[in-house]
């Protein structure tokens, strides 16, 4: 492994051998929890998750836990990122819409796997931070947008895949319409307070969708509108 250093403002981020060791351990852990997709595990074993946590919290990055990233939002637990990515059946060169950029970590995983990623965040501060970091890491196949995920990105539709990383009451038709026939949408859909069921939705044709349910999770809620700095 090669040491990687990037500079963001006055913060210097270094990916060292010791981080690689911690990553390898984390990857084993999520593999043991049931993740099989080798490409997901490979991407996550190569991405420095500690770059995506706020300064001072880096040493928690390789625990299988979510963390606060400011603005009341969280970076998802590594297992959850892996689980959603596996359900999404990611292959290289497909077009993916992500709703809820947050830290940018999930977008980095998808981009690392070779997809072209369009990611929307509603909080301007997080949008800027994630965009700066993803650029510094050289992911020119990630396109960041400040906007309301409830609207999707009609100007870039249709997408092969859509991933929603915030809790939603149901999948709006606007988003279903932006999915290609044969495409897959993965989203945590509210089932009771603070609990969502992971839905994997396959678009069979323009009118028909197949839905599979994949266990319970806890995400921050989808909120409409944009929050400017
Ligand atoms: N995928 C992220 C985790 C996201 S947490 C990661 O890898 O770090 C959920 C994110 O969804 C938060 O940043 C929140 O601000 C954002 N969000 C909530 N409602 C939204 C909306 N309507 N449009 C876009 N983003 C939204």
């Amino acid at each position: 492994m090669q040491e990687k250093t990037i500079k963001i403002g006055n913060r210097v981020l270094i990916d060292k051998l010791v981080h690689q060791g911690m990553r390898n351990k984390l990857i084993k852990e999520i593999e043991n929890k049931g993740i099989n997709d080798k490409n997901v595990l490979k991407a996550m074993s190569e991405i420095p998750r500690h770059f995506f946590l706020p300064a001072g919290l880096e040493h928690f990055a390789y625990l299988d836990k979510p963390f606060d990233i400011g603005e009341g939002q969280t970076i998802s637990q590594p297992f959850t990122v892996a689980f959603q990515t596996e359900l999404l059946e990611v292959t290289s060169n497909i077009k993916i819409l992500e709703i809820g950029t947050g830290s940018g970590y999930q977008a980095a995983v998808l981009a690392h796997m070779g997809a072209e990623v369009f990611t929307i965040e509603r909080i301007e501060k997080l949008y800027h931070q994630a965009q700066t970091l993803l650029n510094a890491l050289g992911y020119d196949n990630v396109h960041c947008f400040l906007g309301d995920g409830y609207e999707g990105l009609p100007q870039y539709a249709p997408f092969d895949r859509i991933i929603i990383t915030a809790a939603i009451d149901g999948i709006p038709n606007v988003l279903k319409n932006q999915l290609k026939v044969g495409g897959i949408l993965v989203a945590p859909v509210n089932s009771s307070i603070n609990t969502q069921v992971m839905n994997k939705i396959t678009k069979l044709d323009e009118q028909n969708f197949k839905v599979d349910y994949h266990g319970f999770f806890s995400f921050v809620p989808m909120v409409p509108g944009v929050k400017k700095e």
Side-chain angles (χ1 to χ4, degrees):
M1 174 220 167
Q2 240 191 325
E3 247 189 35
K4 185 186 284 154
T5 303
I6 61 169
K7 215 171 164 244
I8 293 190
N10 51 14
R11 195 173 165 207
V12 179
L13 296 163
I14 311 175
D15 190 28
K16 297 183 179 161
L17 204 57
V18 61
H19 296 118
Q20 186 61 63
M22 291 192 274
R23 270 203 294 282
N24 293 346
K25 227 176 129 225
L26 172 65
I27 298 312
K28 270 270 155 306
E29 199 180 326
I30 59 178
E31 202 177 355
N32 290 338
K33 288 180 183 171
I35 303 299
N36 295 310
D37 186 330
K38 295 286 174 226
N39 295 326
V40 175
L41 296 168
K42 181 171 187 291
M44 291 181 65
S45 73
E46 292 173 354
I47 300 172
R49 185 171 185 260
H50 60 290
F51 287 11
F52 294 82
L53 291 181
L57 289 180
E58 293 97 339
H59 55 290
F60 293 123
Y62 300 106
L63 299 176
D64 190 21
K65 288 196 158 60
F67 276 99
D68 284 353
I69 53 170
E71 304 291 318
Q73 305 306 322
T74 51
I75 176 171
S76 302
Q77 181 181 344
F79 173 77
T80 305
V81 171
F83 192 81
Q84 281 198 286
T85 311
E86 180 165 87
L87 287 180
L88 212 55
E89 298 178 19
V90 178
T91 53
S92 57
N93 299 319
I94 59 171
K95 241 170 93 180
I96 305 182
L97 172 66
E98 181 195 22
I99 293 170
T101 314
S103 69
Y105 179 73
Q106 172 73 70
V109 172
L110 301 173
H112 208 88
M113 295 174 76
E116 182 160 21
V117 183
F118 296 77
T119 181
I120 316 179
E121 173 57 54
R122 66 174 292 275
I123 299 178
E124 190 173 15
K125 190 167 171 218
L126 296 178
Y127 152 76
H128 277 306
Q129 280 175 3
Q131 189 181 46
T132 306
L133 177 56
L134 291 164
N135 277 344
L137 284 168
Y139 289 117
D140 49 18
N141 51 339
V142 180
H143 314 282
C144 294
F145 297 83
L146 175 64
D148 184 350
Y150 279 109
E151 291 166 15
L153 285 174
Q155 64 276 42
Y156 296 98
F159 297 95
D160 299 288
R161 304 285 187 266
I162 299 178
I163 174 170
I164 302 177
T165 65
I168 194 164
D169 282 336
I171 314 300
N173 285 334
V174 175
L175 296 180
K176 286 181 170 173
N177 291 340
Q178 292 180 27
L179 188 63
K180 275 186 200 166
V181 170
I184 298 170
L185 184 154
V186 172
V189 178
N190 283 322
S191 65
S192 60
I193 295 171
N194 293 330
T195 305
Q196 297 85 44
V197 173
M198 194 61 77
N199 281 214
K200 175 177 177 174
I201 299 172
T202 309
K203 187 164 178 170
L204 302 174
D205 57 44
E206 285 304 336
Q207 269 81 45
N208 294 294
F209 295 82
K210 170 174 169 264
V211 186
D212 297 306
Y213 304 104
H214 292 271
F216 295 98
F217 290 83
S218 184
F219 282 75
V220 293
M222 275 281 280
V223 176
V226 171
K227 187 180 170 214
K228 299 266 184 189
E229 277 182 279

